[in-house]
Amino acid sequence: MKPIRKSEILRYLGYRKDMEINEHTDELIDQCIDELKKVINPQFVYKRFPVKRVDDTILIEGMSINSKALSKNLEGCNEVYLFAATVGIGVDQMIRRVEITNMAKAAIYQATGAEMVECVCDDLNDKLKEQAKEEHLYLKPRFSPGYGDTSLELQKDFERLLKMSEIGIHLTESLLMVPSKSVTAFIGITDYPQKSVSGCKACDKLDCPSRKE
């Protein structure tokens, strides 16, 4: 797994770049990283599908998605990867264990788990990028259900197409993933490099506390 970025953990915790971190918090973050490393179980699954765009509607393997944000992200793509990744249930168990007695540590566990699953996604992204390179293809930035005007209902299609339960990911009735530190995303495939708006820049939730500047 890629090196865990403490700067990202601090961002999830609400720290701005100009804010100093005290020694106690710094040491507690290091402790939480070490503890979570012992319980994580990184896994992922992905599949490649043809994609068609009709105006702002995207057609992928039985999915008909009306989303301007995703349509813009997949502009120029004839194929797309769908993937799901998780660090396992261990992080959730650690959070539940301490949230009654130590909310500060529970918050750091939450932030560290979020960064850890992003590292798993980055590793997978690098793997897929190398595969694409061998075919003289390029990848768009990943784009998750829930970004911008893209519905969380798509989680049901990810579950259907990827069989996410085989790597331990299940959906609740409200379409949240269990384990909570799990990610699903689209990655568009193109035959030439091009700029694309994705992630926080593609999302209209300007007041999101986890938004990157």
Side-chain angles (χ1 to χ4, degrees):
M1 192 168 71
K2 287 183 177 295
I4 296 166
R5 299 161 294 188
K6 191 178 288 187
S7 61
E8 286 297 286
I9 295 173
L10 290 170
R11 183 177 66 81
Y12 286 122
L13 288 169
Y15 281 79
R16 300 189 307 270
K17 291 181 179 180
D18 59 344
M19 294 174 66
E20 292 187 8
I21 177 174
N22 63 57
E23 184 176 351
H24 171 72
T25 302
D26 192 50
E27 290 176 352
L28 186 56
I29 290 174
D30 288 335
Q31 178 185 337
C32 289
I33 291 172
D34 290 339
E35 290 171 352
L36 291 188
K37 281 182 176 179
K38 297 175 182 178
V39 302
I40 59 173
N41 179 28
Q43 294 192 76
F44 57 78
V45 61
Y46 64 92
K47 289 186 180 180
R48 183 170 172 174
F49 300 102
V51 58
K52 292 183 180 180
R53 293 169 64 251
V54 181
D55 297 324
D56 289 329
T57 300
I58 303 101
L59 305 175
I60 304 170
E61 198 68 17
M63 305 164 66
S64 180
I65 309 164
N66 293 306
S67 167
K68 291 183 179 179
L70 183 58
S71 180
K72 187 173 184 179
N73 177 269
L74 295 180
E75 187 174 1
C77 298
N78 294 316
E79 291 183 287
V80 63
Y81 284 113
L82 272 61
F83 83 81
T86 185
V87 291
I89 199 65
V91 175
D92 290 350
Q93 293 171 339
M94 294 287 278
I95 292 169
R96 287 196 296 270
R97 194 172 299 166
V98 302
E99 62 186 355
I100 296 176
T101 58
N102 192 335
M103 283 304 298
K105 194 169 186 179
I108 294 174
Y109 277 159
Q110 287 277 9
T112 303
E115 165 60 4
M116 285 178 163
V117 75
E118 284 299 310
C119 289
V120 176
C121 292
D122 288 344
D123 278 344
L124 175 57
N125 221 127
D126 288 347
K127 175 182 178 177
L128 297 179
K129 189 177 293 184
E130 285 302 310
Q131 291 180 7
K133 186 177 180 180
E134 292 175 0
E135 300 178 54
H136 306 289
L137 298 172
Y138 303 87
L139 298 185
K140 291 291 191 78
R142 59 182 180 259
F143 191 105
S144 290
Y147 280 170
D149 60 351
T150 310
S151 174
L152 274 178
E153 286 288 327
L154 295 174
Q155 297 286 48
K156 296 178 181 178
D157 293 294
F158 275 77
E159 185 177 51
R160 171 178 61 87
L161 294 170
L162 299 181
K163 296 181 172 58
M164 298 191 306
S165 62
E166 294 182 1
I167 61 168
I169 300 177
H170 303 275
L171 296 181
T172 67
E173 290 185 2
S174 57
L175 303 178
L176 298 178
M177 286 181 285
V178 179
S180 65
K181 303 313 174 188
S182 303
V183 171
T184 55
F186 301 90
I187 303 180
I189 306 169
T190 72
D191 56 6
Y192 56 93
Q194 54 187 285
K195 293 181 181 180
S196 176
V197 177
S198 66
C200 292
K201 291 182 179 180
C203 184
D204 57 8
K205 296 178 182 178
L206 301 179
D207 59 347
C208 176
S210 295
R211 187 179 180 90
K212 294 183 181 180
E213 296 178 358

